[in-house]
Amino acid sequence: MYSWRVTKFNPLHRDESGSYKIKDEWTAYSEIGSKVSEEEYLETEEKYINAVLSFMNEMNLDKLYLKDLELHSEGVVEQNASSFMLTMWLGKEVSKQEIKELIKLTLRESIWCSLSYKKQFSVHFGYDYYMYIGAAKDCPKARTKVITSGLFVEEFSLKYI
């Protein structure tokens, strides 16, 4: 199994324990207007969405399954996503378009979810704009594409796929 941590955070700025040393870095949607412009936020969000799609493409996947889901009702309402979320349930097969929306809502802290395809692929999210991807095979083209976009891809041990 292969697994990676995908972030906007340059690993050169981590201490020995792996903690990110730059304290004024933005880490949330709620920081638009104070620590990050809306334009920069949306560009970064799109990079994360495209990262997942790049890995899916290299794995020849056109769908995933909703493995875990937590709703944060205020955030769902704020993002006008109530009707969309009514169509989601654990185990549901989700299309690429639905995956894009789920990632967006997760990054905006309206929901939390993890997505997977059998024991071949998974993606889940941590706090502070961390994303974790696991795959049954190495994905060098996807990694290169994600790095070229401006995100960082680090090998990282995942507990599950």
Side-chain angles (χ1 to χ4, degrees), residues 4-143:
W4 305 274
R5 174 172 57 193
V6 178
T7 70
K8 66 185 195 72
F9 307 110
N10 188 332
L12 295 176
H13 301 294
R14 294 190 188 285
D15 64 20
E16 303 78 38
S17 68
S19 297
Y20 200 68
K21 297 184 289 187
I22 299 176
K23 300 298 180 198
D24 63 342
E25 182 74 48
W26 68 269
T27 59
Y29 178 75
S30 60
E31 295 175 304
I32 292 176
S34 60
K35 287 188 170 185
V36 63
S37 69
E38 183 176 22
E39 179 182 2
E40 181 184 346
Y41 177 86
L42 292 173
E43 286 175 7
T44 304
E45 181 181 83
E46 189 69 20
K47 289 176 185 179
Y48 275 69
I49 292 167
N50 289 335
V52 173
L53 297 178
S54 293
F55 278 93
M56 286 179 65
N57 288 340
E58 189 153 349
M59 292 291 297
N60 295 314
L61 299 172
D62 61 356
K63 64 186 173 198
L64 297 175
Y65 295 92
L66 190 54
K67 185 175 180 177
D68 295 297
L69 178 64
E70 294 175 11
L71 300 177
H72 306 283
S73 56
E74 287 181 20
V76 171
V77 171
E78 286 173 14
Q79 294 296 318
N80 297 314
S82 297
S83 60
F84 172 75
M85 290 313 301
L86 287 173
T87 68
M88 295 294 122
W89 62 85
L90 293 182
K92 181 183 188 225
E93 178 181 301
V94 288
S95 68
K96 284 186 176 179
Q97 191 58 42
E98 291 169 320
I99 290 164
K100 290 177 185 181
E101 187 67 16
L102 288 167
I103 294 169
K104 180 181 87 170
L105 291 169
T106 299
L107 293 173
R108 293 181 182 190
E109 300 175 332
S110 298
I111 67 168
W112 178 85
C113 73
S114 69
L115 303 160
S116 65
Y117 185 83
K118 301 182 181 179
K119 293 189 182 254
Q120 295 181 36
F121 183 82
S122 70
V123 59
H124 73 273
F125 301 85
Y127 293 104
D128 296 339
Y129 240 76
Y130 281 74
M131 182 169 69
Y132 303 92
I133 294 177
K137 69 175 192 175
D138 194 7
C139 297
K141 292 177 186 170
R143 288 186 288 118

